[in-house]
Amino acid sequence: MFCYQKGFGGMGMKPAYKALHTDQELFAAAVTQAKVDVIMSMNSIYSIVVNSGGSIEKFTPEAVKINGGFYFRDRFEFRAKV
């Protein structure tokens, strides 16, 4: 697992990812087979990468399937690498 520190990038640096929130964003990532990280927030400073660099296989209003695992959309954040 990897850790991200929140707030890094405030000094004019662009983030190396795009957060996927909407159905349209998830669909675009699925069609283009973008590599997506599944992130779980631990606290206000750190987050843990639960699944790294998988393609979206399926998504519903409740969950996203990546690398054979289902992740609830209301509990995890999905980030596509840019």
Side-chain angles (χ1 to χ4, degrees), residues 56-72:
I56 295 175
E57 300 170 20
K58 178 180 181 177
F59 69 92
T60 69
E62 293 82 26
V64 178
K65 182 179 181 183
I66 298 175
N67 288 340
F70 284 93
Y71 303 94
F72 289 107

Side-chain angles (χ1 to χ4, degrees), residues 34-49:
K35 300 302 179 197
V36 177
D37 291 338
V38 181
I39 310 297
M40 180 175 64
S41 281
M42 296 303 294
N43 57 38
S44 62
I45 299 173
Y46 292 101
S47 297
I48 292 180
V49 178

